[in-house]
Amino acid sequence: MEALDFAPFLLSFKLAALTSLILFVVALPLAWYLSQTHSKLKPFLEALTALPIVLPPSVLGFYILWALSYNSPVGAFFEDTFGIKLVFSFTGLVIASCFYSLPFMVQPLQSGFESINKNMLEASYIAGKSKLQTLMYVVLPNMKPAVLSAIIITFAHTVGEFGVVLMVGGSIEGETKVASVAIYEMVEILDYKSAHIYSALMILISFSVLLSVYWFNHTQRKKGFGL
């Protein structure tokens, strides 16, 4: 255990924390809109948002890699204007992770919004509250399980990413070499002992995260039934 380098885990947690924070800010208004709108575009937007779930990571990773590379207008603009290289960098990993984990943040939030009693919203509007005030002070406090589930599942999903982060970030020590990539490299060099330890830690982390979500939701349901 002492010989193992746990820097990839720390990098994975840093990536997951930043991704979860960014996605919460981005997904909150998107999920609210999807839960309230009756637009004919709603199915299209929902399908577009959920696309990373069904797309092979190699496909998504390839297009993100192309979009962030110097050969694309976006990549060229950031590198020429700000000197920021988006591919094979931690910044690129964050951007790629936000795309890949977007549905894991949006869908629980949207379900939470849709479960809110419409009478509460109408009462808030009648009381003169704006949509933003209603969202912040009425809706969110009444959907804590959905918010927690969205954040924790997004965090856990980002920690476990492999295909997209490998294609966009590669394996640069201390920069883009996250835990999943480190395990892959250990298997490649036949270092099964280290791979076992890293993999066991990943399983423990993932199980702990899911257990905390289900335990919290179970507790909230019991409180709701007055048990």
Side-chain angles (χ1 to χ4, degrees):
M1 290 287 288
E2 294 180 357
L4 291 178
D5 178 19
F6 290 100
F9 277 98
L10 297 178
L11 190 63
S12 292
F13 296 150
K14 179 182 176 182
L15 174 64
L18 282 174
T19 300
S20 300
L21 177 61
I22 293 170
L23 280 182
F24 182 74
V25 174
V26 172
L28 195 63
L30 175 59
W32 173 253
Y33 173 78
L34 290 175
S35 69
Q36 301 300 308
T37 185
H38 298 289
S39 171
K40 294 181 180 179
L41 292 176
K42 181 178 179 179
F44 174 79
L45 293 175
E46 288 180 322
L48 188 63
T49 302
L51 196 58
I53 295 178
V54 297
L55 272 182
S58 56
V59 173
L60 186 61
F62 168 73
Y63 280 110
I64 294 176
L65 179 63
W66 174 83
L68 301 183
S69 71
Y70 191 75
N71 294 324
S72 76
V74 175
F77 171 78
F78 273 90
E79 192 162 343
D80 292 339
T81 307
F82 304 106
I84 300 176
K85 187 178 181 182
L86 297 181
V87 295
F88 303 114
S89 68
F90 184 75
T91 302
L93 282 190
V94 173
I95 296 173
S97 296
C98 285
F99 278 105
Y100 190 46
S101 297
L102 179 63
F104 295 90
M105 181 67 77
V106 171
Q107 292 184 355
L109 290 178
Q110 183 181 346
S111 297
F113 287 140
E114 291 173 346
S115 67
I116 294 294
N117 191 323
K118 302 300 181 183
N119 293 331
M120 294 174 58
L121 301 181
E122 293 175 2
S124 178
Y125 295 144
I126 292 173
K129 303 297 182 182
S130 66
K131 288 186 177 181
L132 180 60
Q133 289 174 319
T134 300
L135 174 63
M136 299 302 298
Y137 301 115
V138 177
V139 177
L140 290 180
N142 286 282
M143 50 174 281
K144 291 178 182 178
V147 172
L148 182 67
S149 296
I151 293 174
I152 292 182
I153 291 175
T154 300
F155 183 92
H157 180 259
T158 305
V159 169
E161 288 179 21
F162 173 68
V164 171
V165 296
L166 181 62
M167 292 190 70
V168 176
S171 179
I172 303 173
E173 197 74 36
E175 179 75 14
T176 64
K177 187 178 179 180
V178 295
S180 57
V181 174
I183 293 172
Y184 174 75
E185 291 184 346
M186 289 171 185
V187 174
E188 276 197 319
I189 63 174
L190 305 181
D191 184 4
Y192 294 131
K193 180 180 178 181
S194 298
H196 272 302
I197 296 173
Y198 269 58
S199 298
L201 286 173
M202 291 290 283
I203 292 173
L204 179 62
I205 291 169
S206 300
F207 179 77
S208 299
V209 166
L210 291 175
L211 179 61
S212 65
V213 171
Y214 286 117
W215 183 266
F216 179 81
N217 289 342
H218 175 69
T219 304
Q220 291 297 307
R221 282 195 295 270
K222 289 181 66 175
K223 288 181 179 179
F225 286 116
L227 298 178

